[in-house]
């Protein structure tokens, strides 16, 4: 019988593929609607005067990477019961929820209710919290947490992310981050995000000491690369730094996968 984590990972991959299809649909939709038309001022407000298509292409590249990486990691590690890789993979696949932000660009054509704008923003924050908590939890297992706790931690992650995303105040009149309603610094929650990501890295440093294995230091570096890349890409600014951030995600994923494989080969 296949373990439940295998089904969860498979579902997450399917969702990431759906998110990739969503961003492709939005890109095609806007090309059809804006062909030969001056870009509306409301679009410039939503993208902070960046080209909406450049923003969408950035989301597409990010999601394409997520799908490819998710499929590769599932293929390579489906027979390895690694809780570190399980939660790392979920964090990676959750990056695909960025596609929801593209829906702000179709609002002017479809005219959906205002409360949907708030819902989309909360989904975005839910995604970010899930990513950070999954990275943090991945590191916990390197410190000696029993493998049997995986499902309990996953349920706890979902519950905490859901509660926090609902409690964040969203100002629908503010757009300080591209394709996201709100100020981007609600209740200083971003400081909490940064602290948790630092602890995610610290968990693997502790794991290196407890397991007397320097390979965990590379896992700490990999999680650091993913965290930095995620923070930069959260802004969705379609400039060179964002594409460097995608490279950071690729390097972090490759390094994490390679080192986890070495660790479990030895054990």
């Amino acid at each position: 019988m296949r373990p439940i984590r295998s089904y969860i990972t498979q579902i997450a991959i399917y969702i990431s593929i759906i998110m990739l299809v969503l961003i492709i649909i939005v890109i095609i939709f806007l090309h059809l609607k804006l062909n030969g038309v001056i870009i509306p001022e409301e679009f410039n407000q939503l993208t902070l005067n960046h080209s909406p298509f450049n923003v969408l292409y950035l989301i597409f590249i990010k999601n394409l990477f997520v799908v490819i990486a998710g499929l590769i990691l599932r293929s390579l590690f489906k027979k390895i019961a690694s809780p570190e890789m399980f939660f790392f993979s979920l964090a990676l696949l959750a990056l695909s929820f960025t596609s929801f932000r593209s829906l702000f660009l179709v609002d002017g054509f479809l005219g959906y209710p205002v409360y949907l704008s708030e819902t989309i923003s909360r989904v975005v924050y839910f995604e970010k919290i899930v990513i950070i908590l999954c990275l943090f939890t991945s590191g916990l297992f390197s410190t000696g947490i029993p493998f049997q706790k995986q499902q309990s931690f996953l349920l706890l992650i979902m519950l905490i992310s859901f509660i926090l995303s609902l409690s964040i105040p969203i100002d629908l009149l503010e757009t300080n981050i591209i394709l996201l309603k709100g100020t981007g610094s609600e209740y200083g929650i971003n400081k909490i995000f940064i602290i948790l990501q630092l602890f995610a890295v610290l968990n693997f440093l502790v794991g290196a000491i407890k397991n007397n294995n320097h390979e965990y230091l590379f896992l700490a570096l990999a999680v650091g690369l993913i965290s930095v890349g995620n923070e930069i890409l959260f802004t969705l600014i379609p400039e060179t730094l964002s594409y460097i951030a995608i490279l950071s995600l690729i390097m972090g994923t490759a390094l994490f996968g390679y080192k986890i494989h070495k660790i479990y080969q030895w054990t």
Side-chain angles (χ1 to χ4, degrees):
M1 183 176 178
R2 292 169 63 189
I4 189 169
R5 67 173 181 274
S6 179
Y7 290 105
I8 293 172
T9 304
Q10 188 172 354
I11 291 171
I13 289 174
Y14 287 150
I15 293 175
S16 68
I17 292 173
I18 292 172
M19 292 296 101
L20 180 61
V21 172
L22 173 62
I23 189 63
I24 292 173
I25 290 174
V26 172
I27 290 173
I28 293 173
F29 177 83
L30 286 185
H31 268 294
L32 293 175
K33 288 292 184 178
L34 297 179
N35 186 28
V37 178
I38 297 176
I39 295 176
E41 179 59 31
E42 63 187 85
F43 279 28
N44 291 327
Q45 293 174 0
L46 286 168
T47 61
L48 303 184
N49 294 318
H50 292 281
S51 165
F53 290 109
N54 287 344
V55 174
L56 293 176
Y57 295 148
L58 178 60
I59 296 174
F60 170 76
I61 293 171
K62 177 183 177 182
N63 280 24
L64 181 62
F65 155 72
V66 168
V67 171
I68 293 174
L71 290 172
I72 292 174
L73 291 179
R74 175 171 170 75
S75 175
L76 293 176
F77 293 93
K78 61 182 177 182
K79 294 182 179 180
I80 298 179
S82 165
E84 296 95 340
M85 178 52 72
F86 173 62
F87 283 98
F88 181 85
S89 296
L90 291 183
L92 199 65
L93 291 167
L95 288 168
S96 65
F97 276 78
T98 306
S99 287
F100 272 113
R101 294 165 71 171
S102 67
L103 295 177
F104 282 117
L105 291 174
V106 303
D107 178 25
F109 299 103
L110 303 181
Y112 49 71
V114 174
Y115 69 83
L116 282 182
S117 294
E118 182 178 349
T119 300
I120 293 170
S121 297
R122 296 196 185 283
V123 168
V124 171
Y125 278 109
F126 175 82
E127 163 231 0
K128 185 169 186 180
I129 298 168
V130 166
I131 292 169
I132 293 171
L133 290 181
C134 279
L135 290 176
F136 175 78
T137 305
S138 176
L140 280 179
F141 283 95
S142 71
T143 65
I145 299 293
F147 284 18
Q148 293 80 5
K149 300 281 187 180
Q150 293 179 62
Q151 295 178 40
S152 299
F153 273 105
L154 181 58
L155 288 174
L156 190 59
I157 286 171
M158 293 301 165
L159 181 61
I160 293 174
S161 300
F162 181 73
I163 293 173
L164 286 179
S165 61
L166 283 181
S167 64
I168 294 174
I170 303 294
D171 187 350
L172 295 177
L173 300 179
E174 290 283 348
T175 304
N176 291 349
I177 296 179
I178 291 175
L179 298 184
L180 184 65
K181 295 296 182 179
T183 63
S185 59
E186 288 78 6
Y187 280 157
I189 197 168
N190 283 336
K191 294 179 181 178
I192 298 175
F193 291 160
I194 292 172
I195 291 172
L196 282 175
Q197 288 173 101
L198 290 174
F199 272 107
V201 173
L202 181 62
N203 281 337
F204 284 106
L205 296 179
V206 173
I209 298 172
K210 291 195 68 173
N211 295 289
N212 193 26
N213 189 338
H214 72 277
E215 298 292 352
Y216 285 93
L217 298 176
F218 291 99
L219 296 183
L221 175 59
V223 169
L225 288 171
I226 295 294
S227 298
V228 170
N230 181 39
E231 283 297 317
I232 294 173
L233 286 172
F234 189 73
T235 64
L236 283 185
I237 299 174
E239 294 178 354
T240 303
L241 187 60
S242 289
Y243 293 100
I244 293 175
I246 290 176
L247 181 60
S248 178
L249 293 181
I250 295 172
M251 291 171 59
T253 302
L255 180 60
F256 195 95
Y258 176 65
K259 291 301 179 179
I260 279 288
H261 187 265
K262 288 189 67 174
I263 289 171
Y264 278 81
Q265 267 188 327
W266 292 341
T267 56

